[in-house]
Amino acid sequence: MGNQKLYKGSLQTIILRLLAQKDKMYGYEISQKVKELTKGELLITEGALYPALHKLEAEGHLEVEVAKVGNRLRKYYKLTERGSKETVNRLSQMQDFIQTMQQLVNPKLSLD
């Protein structure tokens, strides 16, 4: 997609959704999964991903588990109970937003 800015406000919701689907993931794994699911249309940079992960962690939505992989430490992110509830809320808000935008952009193709 030519305009990555459209995704910017959705990054935390995307992260929460991916973690709801899979028990735990590390940062690079998240970025690669998004790339795979969007067929390369959305590329999440480290500069966007890690601040979003840290913010979600600070808000109590994620917990971090550190594991040694080879001779490196890897941080795995996992939803907390609070994060699971937040995921449901944000996905509902996202669905409402998409429906509203659909009505504005192309009312003939409304999802209703």
Side-chain angles (χ1 to χ4, degrees):
M1 174 172 202
N3 192 349
Q4 295 275 330
K5 292 178 185 177
L6 290 174
Y7 289 113
K8 188 176 181 181
S10 305
L11 182 56
Q12 290 184 10
T13 303
I14 292 167
I15 292 168
L16 291 170
R17 177 65 175 135
L18 288 175
L19 290 172
Q21 291 176 316
K22 191 170 180 180
D23 183 44
K24 62 183 177 182
M25 298 176 83
Y26 57 96
Y28 181 75
E29 182 180 13
I30 292 169
S31 66
Q32 292 305 298
K33 188 64 172 177
V34 169
K35 182 179 176 182
E36 173 192 330
L37 290 172
T38 64
K39 296 178 176 67
E41 290 292 320
L42 177 58
L43 304 175
I44 300 175
T45 64
E46 287 183 22
L49 178 63
Y50 288 100
L53 287 168
H54 295 153
K55 187 171 193 305
L56 288 167
E57 181 185 1
E59 292 172 347
H61 302 305
L62 300 181
E63 61 186 26
V64 177
E65 182 180 298
V66 179
K68 190 168 185 171
V69 178
N71 56 353
R72 298 183 61 192
L73 293 179
R74 180 178 286 166
K75 281 186 174 183
Y76 286 91
Y77 297 90
K78 183 176 182 173
L79 290 178
T80 61
E81 185 176 330
R82 184 176 178 180
S84 294
K85 292 176 184 174
E86 182 67 12
T87 301
V88 171
N89 291 336
R90 288 193 189 202
L91 290 173
S92 175
Q93 291 171 2
M94 179 65 72
Q95 188 65 29
D96 291 345
F97 174 76
I98 290 169
Q99 288 177 343
T100 300
M101 291 306 295
Q102 184 63 44
Q103 291 168 357
L104 290 170
V105 174
N106 197 349
K108 293 178 183 176
L109 297 177
S110 180
L111 298 174
D112 293 332

